[in-house]
Structures are given as structure tokens and as C-alpha cells.
Amino acid sequence: MRLRRKHKSPPVLSHEFVIQNHVDVVSCLVMSLLMGVVFEATTKKAIIFVAVQYNVTYTIDDSNEQFHFYDYGPKDIATIFFYMLIAINLHAVIQENILDKINRRLHLSKTKHSKFNESGQLAFFSLFSFIWGSSILNAEEFAMDLTSLWTEYPHCRMLFQVKFFYICQIAYWLHALPELYFQKIQKEDIPRQLCYICLYIIHISGAYILNFQRLGLILMVPHYLVEFIFHASRLFYFSDENKQKGIGCLATVCLTQAWMMWKFINFQLKKYREHVNNQIPKKKITNTKKKRTNQEPNRENCVNGAAKVEGEASPRIRKSKPV
């Protein structure tokens, strides 16, 4: 009988060791920070990582009603770091429990395998961000009143859901940078992925810091919907040999873009008509009754084609002579 060869574990702190055990290391960091909240001696320091900071409370004197808002500051870096660790754990859970099982059935090549994993992760995140962002817009009614985007700017105070949404967004895209190393992304794919990851980080962080949170939220929600359809179409493209599902997703993307353009054109035309109507001066319409100088005689006052004059006898009717 042949003895089975035991796989040698890679040396500690080597590249293979970090790649294979990075999820365990990250999980230990997350647990240690959560345990720090439990103990009183470390609560003040650990709470900076776990809880959302810079709470501002306003109280109305008449009704004693309190409103809780949030600001941003340097302590948000610690909070973003904590949720970046959580994003790494969620990335590994989706990869091991869903994407790897599908890859074993499809038997994809290395190039398609990498792109399938990329689209699978982004499809889950795009769908989650779209649902979460839509619920915030529905609750706060930012999209219903577009004037709230610029009235009383800068909007220095945020609601809890808005601030937490931005922290999770920044944390997710920051976690994508070390994932390029953990997932062993091919060298030719790194510049492309690095480009759009950095663009997401710059734009979302810029909207968060420059107090464009409402505008950024309204722009991100439809963007993530289109991103979800795009990455879902890529997944169907890799999994469907006949490419029928991919053609259907392409048609959905085109229809979605056409619908958004139609809504935008109608909105602009409506605003243009209102602007034109406001520019036209309102003329006072005076109703003047024109007197008829030449009035036609009434038929009742006419006999045999001759007009009947008041106070006078009617003209005699001529009798026709018999022939």
C-alpha cells in the first residue's frame, strides 16, 4: 500500500500562508474588537471601531422632541477599517459557499474563472446596495423633492442610515484592494480592476466629505441597478453555452437605459414649458361687447320679404290675379 503524501503547510508569514489564512486572521481581529466593547476598560477605545461616531442631537423647546443627526470626522477612519474587515469575511463566505460550488460544475478556464468570481461578488454587492439605497430614498423622500439637493447647502448633518450607508460603501471598495492579492488576480486584470476600484473610492469619499451625500445617494441607486444587470449578464454569459440568457440581459440593459433617458427628456421638457410660461407676460383680457351696427331684421318682423316697421301697419298682401 502506498502512503498518502501529506500536504506541507506553507511557512508562517509567507505569501501562501497569508493567502490561505487571511480570513482566519481577519476574523480574529473582528472578534477582538467586539470583545473590547464588552469590557469596561477597553470600551471607550473599541467603540470607536464598532459604532458610528459624531452623533449630534437637536431638541425642540416647544415639544421636547429630539432629532439625532451625524457628522463626519477623523474617527470615521477606525469605523471604516472595522467594516472593511467584515467585508473581507463576507467576501470569503460568498466565494466559498456559492461561487466555488458553481465553478466546480461549470469547469471554467482560469480567465473565465477569475471574471466569473469578479462578477459574482459585484452582482451580490450591487443588488444589496440598490435595495438598501432605495429604502433610504423611500424613507427620506430625497428623490421626490429634488430641491432638497441644493436648498440649505451644505448639508453638514446626516441621518444614521445615510452615514452608515456611506461608511459601508467606502469600506467595501477599500477591501477590494487587498482582495486583488488574496484572490491571486492575474497581472493583466489588475490595472483594469484597480482603475474602477479607485474611481469608486474617490467619488464616494468625495461625496461624503464635500457634503454631497444626498446627490451621491440618488446617483448611486440607479447606477447599482445597471451594475447588477451588467454583472448578472456576465454570469449568464459564462454559464450559458448558447448565450441566450446573455442576449436577454443585454436587452434588459438597453431597455433600462432607454427608460431612464425617456424619463430625463420628459422631465427637462416639463421644466422648459414651465419656464416659457413664466416668461410670457400675462395680458389683461378685457371683454368688450361690440355693438352691431347693421343688424339683420328678425324673421318674425318680416312679411313677404318686407320689413315690418313698429307703429305702422303691415304691408298689404298682393293677391295673384287669376289667369
Side-chain angles (χ1 to χ4, degrees):
M1 296 178 64
R2 294 183 181 180
L3 296 175
R4 294 182 179 178
R5 295 181 181 179
K6 295 182 179 180
H7 295 283
K8 294 182 179 179
S9 59
V12 181
L13 299 180
S14 63
H15 293 289
E16 291 295 329
F17 179 84
V18 173
I19 292 173
Q20 292 181 8
N21 301 287
H22 74 276
V23 178
D24 298 331
V25 175
V26 170
S27 300
C28 291
L29 287 175
V30 172
M31 291 302 298
S32 62
L33 291 173
L34 291 176
M35 291 298 294
V37 180
V38 177
F39 298 101
E40 186 177 357
T42 58
T43 300
K44 293 183 179 180
K45 294 182 179 179
I47 200 68
I48 299 174
F49 292 89
V50 179
V52 179
Q53 302 297 311
Y54 301 103
N55 183 12
V56 181
T57 304
Y58 293 96
T59 304
I60 299 177
D61 297 333
D62 298 336
S63 60
N64 293 326
E65 188 176 0
Q66 293 183 349
F67 296 92
H68 300 280
F69 295 93
Y70 290 85
D71 203 348
Y72 63 86
K75 292 182 181 179
D76 291 338
I77 299 174
T79 311
I80 291 171
F81 174 75
F82 175 77
Y83 288 99
M84 184 184 71
L85 299 178
I86 293 179
I88 293 175
N89 285 330
L90 293 176
H91 187 109
V93 169
I94 295 173
Q95 185 67 41
E96 294 178 2
N97 296 329
I98 300 176
L99 298 179
D100 286 345
K101 292 181 179 180
I102 298 175
N103 282 322
R104 294 190 191 98
R105 297 179 181 178
L106 298 177
H107 302 288
L108 300 174
S109 61
K110 290 183 179 180
T111 304
K112 290 184 177 181
H113 178 82
S114 177
K115 292 181 179 180
F116 184 87
N117 291 336
E118 176 190 358
S119 294
Q121 294 287 346
L122 292 176
F124 278 105
F125 176 71
S126 299
L127 180 60
F128 173 75
S129 299
F130 170 73
I131 296 173
W132 189 8
S134 299
S135 65
I136 296 175
L137 290 179
N138 186 31
E140 305 304 331
E141 297 183 353
F142 291 151
M144 301 301 295
D145 185 12
L146 294 179
T147 58
S148 63
L149 299 178
W150 56 83
T151 54
E152 299 181 359
Y153 180 83
H155 309 115
C156 300
R157 301 292 182 260
M158 293 174 285
L159 297 171
F160 172 77
Q161 287 290 340
V162 177
K163 181 178 176 66
F164 191 54
F165 178 82
Y166 272 91
I167 286 177
C168 293
Q169 289 290 321
I170 298 171
Y172 179 85
W173 290 111
L174 284 175
H175 110 280
L177 294 175
E179 286 294 340
L180 297 176
Y181 172 72
F182 295 147
Q183 298 297 325
K184 295 182 180 180
I185 304 300
Q186 297 179 0
K187 292 182 179 180
E188 56 269 18
D189 291 336
I190 289 178
R192 177 182 59 83
Q193 295 189 25
L194 191 63
C195 179
Y196 72 75
I197 290 171
C198 293
L199 287 175
Y200 272 107
I201 294 173
I202 292 170
H203 285 85
I204 296 175
S205 302
Y208 180 70
I209 296 172
L210 299 176
N211 298 317
F212 288 110
Q213 297 92 358
R214 299 179 183 179
L215 179 61
L217 187 62
I218 290 177
L219 294 176
M220 276 191 285
V221 169
H223 174 75
Y224 278 128
L225 174 61
V226 177
E227 283 289 308
F228 167 71
I229 298 173
F230 169 72
H231 290 291
S233 66
R234 290 186 72 185
L235 294 175
F236 289 134
Y237 173 79
F238 293 127
S239 61
D240 187 14
E241 295 180 356
N242 297 326
K243 309 297 184 296
Q244 294 179 356
K245 297 178 181 178
I247 292 170
C249 290
L250 179 62
T252 306
V253 172
C254 295
L255 291 175
T256 305
Q257 294 290 342
W259 177 78
M260 293 174 65
M261 182 60 68
W262 177 255
K263 296 291 288 185
F264 176 76
I265 292 172
N266 286 334
F267 175 77
Q268 293 298 329
L269 289 175
K270 183 180 178 181
K271 289 294 182 181
Y272 176 74
R273 289 168 188 155
E274 293 178 356
H275 177 71
V276 171
N277 293 331
N278 293 331
Q279 293 296 324
I280 297 175
K282 295 182 178 179
K283 296 181 180 179
K284 294 182 179 180
I285 302 173
T286 57
N287 296 326
T288 59
K289 296 182 179 180
K290 296 182 179 180
K291 296 181 179 180
R292 297 181 181 180
T293 56
N294 299 324
Q295 293 184 351
E296 295 182 357
N298 193 358
R299 293 183 177 179
E300 295 179 356
N301 297 329
C302 295
V303 179
N304 294 333
K308 183 178 180 181
V309 183
E310 293 182 358
E312 296 182 0
S314 60
R316 296 179 178 178
I317 302 173
R318 295 179 180 179
K319 297 181 178 180
S320 59
K321 296 180 180 181
V323 181

